Amino acid sequence: MESEKDKMNKNSKLKTLIIVESPTKAKVISSILPDCTIIASEGHIRDLPNDELGVNLQTFEPEYFIVDNKNSIIEKMKKALNDSEYLVLATDSDREGESIAWHLKEVLKPTIPTKRIVFHEITKKAILNAMDNPRDVNMNMVNAQKARRVLDRLFGYMISPILWSKLSLRNLSAGRVQSPALKLVVDRELERMKYKVTSYNVVQAILSNSSKSSFSSSVESYNGKRVVTGKDFFDETTGDLKNADDVIVLTPENAKQLALDLQTAEYKVVDIKQKEVRRSSPPPYITSTLQQDANTKLHYTPHITMSVAQSLYEKGWITYMRTDSPYISEEGIQYARKAVEQLYGKDYLLPTARNFVSKDKNAQEAHEAIRPSIKNDMFVHPDDTGLTGREKTLYSLIYARCIATQMKDAVKMSGTVVIEATSEKIEKAVLVSRGMEMRFKGYLKAFEKYKTEDEENVLPSLKTGELLKCISTSAKEAQTSPKNRYTEASLIKKMEEIGIGRPSTYASTLTALITKRYVVRIPRSLQIAPTFLGVEITQFLDKYFEEYSQYSFTSDMESELDKISEHNENTYNYLSSFYAGKGGLKETVEAVNKSVKAQEAKILKFPTIKTDNYEICYGRFGAYIQLGNKKNKSIPKDWLVGDLSNEKIDALLNDTRTLEEKLDDKYVKLYVSPTYGYPVYYSANGKYGPFWFVGSTANKKDAKFCAVPRGTVYTDWSNEDVEYLFSLPRVIGKHPENNEDIQIGIGRYGAFVRNAGVYASLSHPKDIINITIDDAIALIEAKKKKK
């Protein structure tokens, strides 16, 4: 019987048409296979309709249509097909890519031999190997993707209209992944609001040894009881003190007196402990950890990270960027080890190769980890790539993480010194000093350009029984604080941990939450917080769609979809049970539609608001205070949910100043514009939200206006930034493929780039300040692929 490889050898002599997704990918592969015709489908050619359900509720089969602007591309592919003898579908190797390959086959209906190939890096060796090992389209993967798409459509199209009708706002949306991700952010904010902040006091002494080397030490025990010195003594959720009977919370007076008494005490070293601490390198990047690290180290949003990574992959610089697998091929390990030896020497190289396996039971991407592609028998050093801007920065991070996996452990020496202080006034106080000294950098050498470690705190050489001299003492007040708000990085980590979403959905989910104003970024930080609208949607879903709002619901659904991809679950049975089964989605939606009153659904509940005099609600014009028969009071648009308190609301309600008296609040003069020669003002109370304008407050007819971009506050923007915003929209260059202008601007849905009728959103408005032409092209190409 003829093998696939024999067939391939025969087919290689035929006129071959290869279809990929993106023009960039097509261009690179054309240089590898110059005798083949390479055409880009530019993403999906078929999809569900935008203005209707698009799912047959009897069979649960999707009803696809040709995506707008794709007819000309389809005709181009059909024409090329007529001139070809062999068709190769070379779309991406994940479920989405498998689905695109299937759609291409369904629409083009080829009558010539047709095969599917997959590769995880766009290099000559990888492409030729894929061409030598073709296969058929994997229908299990296609069916799993179809089921996922149908589930998302049923969930969104059935629940979103309920939000519109009960919350009286159009364009609200619920999503299988989006809604639980939003719930995580809302639940964390409400938990923070309930947290009880407590003050405590810390007493420290600066001591020196016989060599006159000084160091600090903190009082951790006083007269036989432990002294509260940090957050570990308090419950992280409630803020309550743990084991209150066994510890002392020093008051400011107690602390000052103790610090004073310690000045004349005798100090003696009673114990010294040293321990070697070894840290191994983390695994190579998978999609989620790349997004997390790029957010933390580079301050890239997940959307920007994936756009740049997509461009690096399509240009042949890294392996496929959507993966759950930390595995590296033997060849990849070989070149990582070669790079370590060349850069840092054998002293830093592990004696034997290290590899990693996935711990995720639902991991479904059959790829390698994200690593540099192999070019000319090596991993190309970032400085030798010719890359610039964000592409070089992200490639450098991926390169460092990959080679670090083959480097020795970082070795530190941890030291703890216990000191007793006694005097006539003090029975016994125990002070503790802790230090950490780096002995061998190991894999951290690869990350020297990034701040990955706290500064060293090296203790001087000390001996047990040694007497010390007190140089000074001090008392300092500190406060507990609730858990931090999520950053985009930590939210992705949490989503991955509890099984919400997949690598391909993390970035788009966060982008949707921010674009729809369900969450906002906190100024001058990486943290995100829910808006009042986000709280309203979450509390509505929690109350009336409790089963579907649970984190376990989405996680369990991912497991079922994995079973479908493994052919262990019948697609129709699963979808039918989800939608039409007892207590299913259809039944739940009908019950909510009949029983829930719109006004009741608009009331928001907060743990810090305890009163019968008013309700906090959300309506068409934002959050407001409902005062019974009195006129409602709007909550200022720049208030965060976590700012709410009875005291703050009372102050707002009791503010009886006239409009003239509030004029100073309405227009804040910021600076004089060097471009326009007029003052620039800020107002928080525009009809459509906060805005800047340059001109005169007396004659605004000739003034130039600019809305404060959604998801930010005016203090996020410097004077130079505001001048730049006034200049928008503007052209930043031309697209190399169509030679048409690339324009950037800010519209009602946020910051965007535009080229030849294609709009792509920036994940954060501030990205518009530093966006490069390469960034813009990457966003445009990613948007084309989605279409």
Side-chain angles (χ1 to χ4, degrees):
M1 186 175 178
E2 193 174 27
S3 68
E4 286 291 348
K5 194 160 187 176
D6 291 335
K7 291 178 183 177
M8 188 64 220
N9 290 333
K10 189 185 296 182
N11 290 330
S12 64
K13 301 172 184 177
L14 303 175
K15 292 176 65 178
T16 301
L17 169 63
I18 301 176
I19 300 178
V20 297
E21 289 109 321
S22 80
T24 305
K25 194 172 172 183
K27 186 176 179 181
V28 175
I29 295 176
S30 291
S31 66
I32 298 170
L33 301 173
D35 295 331
C36 298
T37 301
I38 320 287
I39 295 181
S41 68
E42 298 186 18
H44 280 279
I45 60 169
R46 291 200 307 182
D47 200 357
L48 297 175
N50 293 324
D51 52 359
E52 58 183 281
L53 180 62
V55 176
N56 184 317
L57 294 177
Q58 302 302 315
T59 63
F60 296 101
E61 281 294 318
E63 298 170 346
Y64 296 114
F65 77 107
I66 301 297
V67 175
D68 291 343
N69 304 322
K70 289 300 176 76
N71 283 308
S72 59
I73 294 174
I74 291 171
E75 287 305 311
K76 180 181 177 181
M77 290 189 288
K78 285 183 174 179
K79 185 176 179 181
L81 192 61
N82 289 334
D83 296 331
S84 303
E85 300 170 301
Y86 180 56
L87 173 62
V88 176
L89 304 172
T91 49
D92 288 344
S93 52
D94 57 6
R95 287 193 190 116
E96 208 68 25
E98 204 72 22
S99 174
I100 293 173
W102 176 76
H103 281 291
L104 287 166
K105 197 172 178 182
E106 289 288 299
V107 171
L108 298 178
K109 302 186 185 306
T111 57
I112 59 177
T114 301
K115 285 293 179 181
R116 168 94 167 102
I117 65 168
V118 294
F119 41 85
H120 307 313
E121 58 185 326
I122 305 176
T123 60
K124 183 174 182 178
K125 184 174 181 180
I127 297 300
L128 293 177
N129 182 62
M131 291 292 284
D132 283 343
N133 295 277
R135 62 169 173 80
D136 293 325
V137 172
N138 185 329
M139 288 309 299
N140 288 339
M141 290 179 70
V142 172
N143 288 334
Q145 195 278 341
K146 284 167 63 177
R148 186 180 299 272
R149 195 78 177 87
V150 169
L151 275 171
D152 288 342
R153 181 53 66 101
L154 290 173
F155 194 100
Y157 260 69
M158 295 296 291
I159 296 180
S160 296
I162 297 289
L163 296 178
W164 305 343
S165 64
K166 302 304 179 184
L167 304 183
S168 302
L169 290 166
R170 298 288 294 177
N171 299 321
L172 300 182
S173 65
R176 180 180 61 86
V177 175
Q178 173 188 295
S179 296
L182 174 59
K183 178 176 166 61
L184 281 170
V185 180
V186 171
D187 285 354
R188 173 62 60 87
E189 193 74 6
L190 299 184
E191 184 180 312
R192 285 171 53 84
M193 293 173 75
K194 288 189 289 186
Y195 185 88
K196 182 174 70 177
V197 175
T198 303
S199 296
Y200 59 95
N201 292 268
V202 177
V203 176
Q204 289 185 320
I206 303 298
L207 307 174
S208 69
N209 63 359
S210 55
S211 302
K212 296 186 179 180
S213 298
S214 62
F215 61 99
S216 67
S217 196
S218 299
V219 175
E220 295 199 359
S221 174
Y222 181 55
N223 291 343
K225 279 199 170 186
R226 287 192 305 152
V227 174
V228 170
T229 57
K231 64 180 182 179
D232 292 341
F233 288 82
F234 299 87
D235 185 283
E236 67 172 355
T237 302
T238 65
D240 292 332
L241 183 64
K242 297 184 288 188
N243 305 315
D245 294 337
D246 301 324
V247 297
I248 301 172
V249 180
L250 294 175
T251 65
E253 295 75 19
N254 297 150
K256 287 177 184 177
Q257 185 60 52
L258 179 56
L260 187 64
D261 293 345
L262 282 170
Q263 290 178 3
T264 57
E266 181 182 89
Y267 293 85
K268 182 180 180 181
V269 178
V270 296
D271 190 28
I272 299 174
K273 292 179 181 175
Q274 286 191 315
K275 183 175 71 172
E276 185 180 86
V277 179
R278 305 182 73 90
R279 284 186 55 189
S280 299
S281 66
Y285 285 128
I286 59 175
T287 305
S288 59
T289 53
L290 176 63
Q291 291 174 0
Q292 291 164 39
D293 242 19
N295 185 241
T296 303
K297 290 184 173 68
L298 309 178
H299 294 188
Y300 288 3
T301 65
H303 178 77
I304 288 294
T305 298
M306 294 310 291
S307 294
V308 177
Q310 178 92 32
S311 178
L312 287 172
Y313 166 67
E314 291 178 349
K315 292 177 179 178
W317 286 109
I318 63 171
T319 51
Y320 193 57
M321 64 287 159
R322 294 189 181 92
T323 174
D324 287 350
S325 173
Y327 171 77
I328 298 180
S329 67
E330 288 186 15
E331 189 179 31
I333 289 175
Q334 174 189 336
Y335 290 114
R337 293 177 65 79
K338 184 177 178 181
V340 172
E341 189 169 348
Q342 289 176 341
L343 289 171
Y344 307 117
K346 287 187 177 181
D347 287 345
Y348 281 85
L349 183 65
L350 278 170
T352 58
R354 173 190 287 152
N355 213 331
F356 299 85
V357 294
S358 177
K359 296 178 181 177
D360 181 2
K361 64 184 176 69
N362 289 328
Q364 48 88 17
E365 315 291 1
H367 307 141
E368 277 194 71
I370 303 170
R371 62 161 174 80
S373 295
I374 299 166
K375 290 175 175 279
N376 301 321
D377 292 330
M378 64 185 295
F379 287 165
V380 181
H381 189 276
D383 292 341
D384 299 326
T385 59
L387 294 169
T388 58
R390 282 177 171 158
E391 287 189 340
K392 181 178 180 181
T393 302
L394 191 64
Y395 178 83
S396 299
L397 189 65
I398 293 166
Y399 180 92
R401 179 83 164 220
C402 180
I403 68 170
T405 64
Q406 303 307 312
M407 296 174 72
K408 290 180 179 178
D409 294 350
V411 181
K412 298 180 180 181
M413 188 60 70
S414 167
T416 303
V417 178
V418 181
I419 302 158
E420 283 187 0
T422 57
S423 71
E424 292 180 1
K425 296 181 180 180
I426 300 172
E427 180 182 331
K428 186 171 75 172
V430 177
L431 295 85
V432 178
S433 297
R434 293 178 177 85
M436 185 73 76
E437 182 181 2
M438 181 71 75
R439 294 293 176 85
F440 178 65
K441 284 193 172 182
Y443 79 91
L444 293 174
K445 189 82 173 172
F447 295 99
E448 283 186 315
K449 66 189 293 186
Y450 310 103
K451 189 179 183 302
T452 56
E453 295 293 307
D454 295 331
E455 291 183 10
E456 288 185 272
N457 175 30
V458 181
L459 295 174
S461 177
L462 299 167
K463 296 178 181 178
T464 303
E466 184 175 354
L467 296 179
L468 305 172
K469 180 182 177 182
C470 177
I471 298 174
S472 65
T473 62
S474 62
K476 182 176 66 175
E477 185 177 47
Q479 279 190 330
T480 60
S481 59
K483 293 178 184 176
N484 289 333
R485 292 183 173 102
Y486 285 109
T487 62
E488 291 177 69
S490 62
L491 181 59
I492 288 173
K493 184 176 181 180
K494 187 66 176 179
M495 290 170 66
E496 181 184 33
E497 183 183 305
I498 62 179
I500 296 174
R502 277 291 180 260
S504 58
T505 62
Y506 296 141
S508 58
T509 298
L510 266 66
T511 299
L513 292 178
I514 291 166
T515 303
K516 293 173 182 291
R517 295 282 292 168
Y518 300 162
V519 305
V520 291
R521 291 185 175 94
I522 303 298
R524 295 173 295 280
S525 84
L526 295 174
Q527 297 180 347
I528 55 178
T531 61
F532 288 96
L533 176 58
V535 172
E536 180 186 40
I537 291 171
T538 295
Q539 292 190 346
F540 180 86
L541 295 175
D542 274 352
K543 187 171 182 179
Y544 301 111
F545 292 90
E546 183 179 7
E547 178 187 349
Y548 302 102
S549 70
Q550 299 302 311
Y551 302 135
S552 58
F553 168 75
T554 301
S555 177
D556 292 344
M557 187 177 287
E558 291 290 355
S559 297
E560 294 301 318
L561 290 167
D562 287 333
K563 289 179 183 177
I564 290 172
S565 69
E566 296 160 5
H567 205 52
N568 293 326
E569 174 75 70
N570 180 280
T571 307
Y572 172 81
N573 291 344
Y574 178 66
L575 293 173
S576 178
S577 174
F578 167 76
Y579 176 75
K582 185 172 177 56
L585 182 62
K586 180 182 178 183
E587 189 177 296
T588 304
V589 167
E590 289 173 349
V592 171
N593 215 7
K594 288 179 182 177
S595 61
V596 178
K597 295 179 181 178
Q599 188 55 41
E600 176 188 347
K602 295 178 184 178
I603 299 172
L604 311 183
K605 299 294 183 183
F606 298 99
T608 52
I609 306 301
K610 303 183 185 302
T611 179
D612 296 326
N613 299 328
Y614 50 77
E615 301 276 9
I616 308 297
C617 300
Y618 195 91
R620 289 179 59 197
F621 302 106
Y624 63 92
I625 304 166
Q626 185 173 280
L627 297 165
N629 296 327
K630 297 180 183 179
K631 186 177 180 181
N632 296 333
K633 185 87 170 182
S634 293
I635 292 176
K637 289 180 171 59
D638 57 353
W639 278 24
L640 292 172
V641 169
D643 293 338
L644 278 184
S645 67
N646 286 112
E647 294 75 19
K648 195 165 183 177
I649 291 174
D650 288 342
L652 181 66
L653 295 176
N654 293 326
D655 185 354
T656 57
R657 290 177 296 167
T658 64
L659 183 62
E660 289 74 18
E661 290 171 326
K662 293 181 180 179
L663 189 60
D664 288 340
D665 290 345
K666 187 170 184 181
Y667 299 118
V668 179
K669 183 178 176 181
L670 300 178
Y671 65 97
V672 175
S673 169
T675 307
Y676 301 97
Y678 283 100
V680 174
Y681 295 89
Y682 164 77
S683 173
N685 301 306
K687 184 176 180 181
Y688 302 106
F691 65 94
W692 295 283
F693 70 93
V694 56
S696 167
T697 57
N699 178 19
K700 297 195 289 296
K701 182 179 179 182
D702 298 323
K704 189 172 182 65
F705 291 82
C706 178
V708 176
R710 296 170 66 177
T712 69
V713 294
Y714 85 97
T715 51
D716 289 344
W717 304 86
S718 68
N719 295 350
E720 292 78 12
D721 292 342
V722 176
E723 289 291 306
Y724 188 83
L725 294 179
F726 279 129
S727 75
L728 299 176
R730 67 192 296 171
V731 173
I732 62 169
K734 291 185 180 293
H735 197 295
E737 292 184 2
N738 56 34
N739 202 35
E740 294 195 30
D741 289 343
I742 294 178
Q743 189 181 63
I744 60 173
I746 294 181
R748 60 183 298 194
Y749 300 112
F752 65 85
V753 298
R754 176 173 60 196
N755 170 256
V758 177
Y759 285 79
S761 296
L762 278 66
S763 62
H764 190 271
K766 290 220 70 174
D767 291 336
I768 205 163
I769 298 296
N770 299 312
I771 189 170
T772 66
I773 189 71
D774 288 338
D775 297 335
I777 292 169
L779 289 169
I780 290 291
E781 293 306 316
K783 185 60 181 284
K784 284 180 182 177
K785 183 175 179 181
K786 286 182 181 177
K787 287 187 173 183

